[in-house]
Amino acid sequence: MKRWPTFSIRSKGRLLAVLALLTALAALLSICLGAVFVPPGQVFGALSGQITGTPEARIVLFARLPRTCGCLLAGMALAVSGAVIQGVLNNPLAAPNIIGVNSGAGLAVALCSAVFPGVSGPLAAFFGALAGVFLVLFIAEKTGAARITLVLAGVAVSSMFSAGIDAVLTFVPDALNGYSDFRIGGLANLSMSRILPAFWVIAIAMVLALALSGELDILLLGAETAQSLGLPAKPLRLVLLALAAALAGAAVSFCGLLGFVGLIVPHIMRRLVGEESFWLLFSCALGGAALLTYCDLLARILFAPYELPVGIVLSLAGGPFFIWLLLRQRGGRTHD
């Protein structure tokens, strides 16, 4: 993976402050804008409880606030998951939607909804995402660890998992309500009760990923170097991949099979903050939250009063970005 220049702590801090402001602005715009404009004053009044019972307050509390929280959480989780996967696998083409993590989580959610509807969605999504990443990793190691091999294995596994989702819905059509939105990726009709279980999974996995950022930096030096420094490289890789699966799986459980957030954001943030894992993961969390919220806002207002699933907007941006990355690959290495 390309080594970006180092940056001072002051410049990184300024960047994080800018990202935090952009994320806060995205959240405010997401709550204010839509088919009905709600002024910022009424938004703050509804959130503080000073304004209750009005149509605007109900729109804020029951429609736009859950959706905005879902955007922030899913964007954060998918971006950090992508950064961890790219670092552990040392592959700039890896991302949750590309190597089968998202589709594995989607299949687990579909099976859970069809057979065990009382089981927690984020828990099932975690095991599905974990199965996806480990299966792709196993295939890639057996057939050769080239970067393109990993991508091709991910495409094959994603196709199988997608076929599994279709099979589940053929026998149990009501397993996933709004299946088209789930498959494309969307955040309409969310509620806080639906987001809450995923919130705890994402929060815990984020804290653990940041706590292991120093170990991830050592792992980036290579397995042999990590072993010589006394770091158990293989168990650490499994732990980090499990955290990435938890993040992506929890997001998929309520936002569907959103793609490309985990691919685009880590690449942009490496250019801005370098490859030191703590700063990279922190900036990816803010950048992913902002990107998905702005894309969702665009999807809502671009053809108002009609609304696009946010997954379409992400695919229109992420598809060309992925092709650009593929064109930069030569013999399994990234060139300028």
Side-chain angles (χ1 to χ4, degrees), residues 26 29-31 33-34 71 292-302 310:
L29 291 175
S30 178
I31 296 177
L33 300 180
C71 286
L292 185 54
T293 305
Y294 281 119
C295 285
D296 183 65
L297 180 61
L298 186 64
R300 279 195 282 144
I301 66 176
L302 194 59
V310 67

Side-chain angles (χ1 to χ4, degrees), residues 10-261:
R10 179 175 294 181
S11 65
K12 292 175 182 177
R14 284 197 294 264
L15 174 68
L16 290 181
V18 171
L19 287 174
L21 288 174
L22 288 174
T23 304
L25 178 62
L28 179 61
L29 291 175
S30 178
I31 296 177
C32 289
L33 300 180
V36 176
F37 173 72
V38 181
Q42 294 189 30
V43 169
F44 292 121
L47 295 177
S48 64
Q50 296 177 355
I51 300 176
T52 59
T54 64
E56 291 80 6
R58 288 193 290 270
I59 289 173
V60 168
L61 295 177
F62 301 114
R64 294 186 186 167
L65 180 62
R67 182 165 186 162
T68 301
C69 290
C71 286
L72 296 173
L73 274 177
M76 177 190 307
L78 292 171
V80 173
S81 176
V84 172
I85 290 172
Q86 289 173 11
V88 172
L89 301 181
N90 192 27
N91 190 330
L93 296 175
N97 65 300
I98 292 171
I99 67 167
V101 177
N102 283 7
S103 55
L107 176 58
V109 170
L111 286 170
C112 179
S113 300
V115 182
F116 305 107
V119 177
S120 173
L123 182 63
F126 163 70
F127 286 110
L130 196 63
V133 70
F134 285 163
L135 180 57
V136 171
L137 190 59
F138 173 78
I139 295 172
E141 288 182 349
K142 290 296 182 181
T143 57
R147 291 173 177 175
I148 297 300
T149 302
L150 185 72
V151 173
L152 293 175
V155 170
V157 170
S158 294
S159 297
M160 291 189 295
F161 285 156
S162 296
I165 296 174
D166 291 335
V168 171
L169 294 176
T170 299
F171 293 105
V172 188
D174 297 329
L176 290 175
N177 293 324
Y179 172 62
S180 60
D181 285 344
F182 181 85
R183 185 154 194 171
I184 298 171
L187 293 131
N189 303 317
L190 283 180
S191 64
M192 296 304 288
S193 61
R194 187 178 169 192
I195 297 172
L196 190 60
F199 165 78
W200 291 112
V201 174
I202 292 170
I204 294 170
M206 275 291 303
V207 171
L208 292 176
L210 289 171
L212 292 173
S213 59
E215 286 79 0
L216 180 56
D217 283 330
I218 298 174
L219 196 61
L220 288 171
L221 300 175
E224 293 182 359
T225 303
Q227 292 284 6
S228 67
L229 294 173
L231 194 70
K234 190 170 183 179
L236 180 61
R237 289 181 73 196
L238 296 179
V239 169
L240 288 169
L241 287 174
L243 291 176
L247 289 166
V252 167
S253 70
F254 65 84
C255 73
L257 305 180
L258 285 178
F260 295 110
V261 176

